[in-house]
Amino acid sequence: MNTLKFKTTINCGGCVRAVTGPLNEETAISSWQVDTDDPNKILTVQGNNVQPEQVIRAVQEAGFEIESVA
């Protein structure tokens, strides 16, 4: 299982609700969570064969900025 981390602009419960649909539609993602207490609003995604591009596209479609964290 892959674990990917991203810096985002997802900063509140309403924002989390906005990305829930697009992220849940990605079949390669088995779980995800956003640490809204972290200054970088870190999104952690887990899944088999999940690709960063899939996550980035889903979050951008919901209207948020996102970038990979090395």
Side-chain angles (χ1 to χ4, degrees), residues 3-69:
T3 299
L4 304 173
K5 292 188 181 277
F6 303 88
K7 179 180 172 182
T8 72
T9 57
I10 302 167
N11 61 12
C12 67
C15 299
V16 171
R17 281 190 296 280
V19 298
T20 295
L23 287 174
N24 287 349
E25 288 173 8
E26 292 293 335
T27 56
I29 296 174
S30 58
S31 68
W32 62 271
Q33 68 178 31
V34 181
D35 183 356
T36 56
D37 293 330
D38 185 296
N40 291 317
K41 312 304 179 201
I42 298 297
L43 167 65
T44 303
V45 177
Q46 293 186 320
N48 292 324
N49 302 317
V50 64
Q51 299 299 312
E53 299 80 24
Q54 294 171 289
V55 179
I56 290 169
R57 183 179 58 248
V59 172
Q60 287 176 336
E61 284 177 5
F64 299 94
E65 295 176 19
I66 180 171
E67 63 184 70
S68 293
V69 175

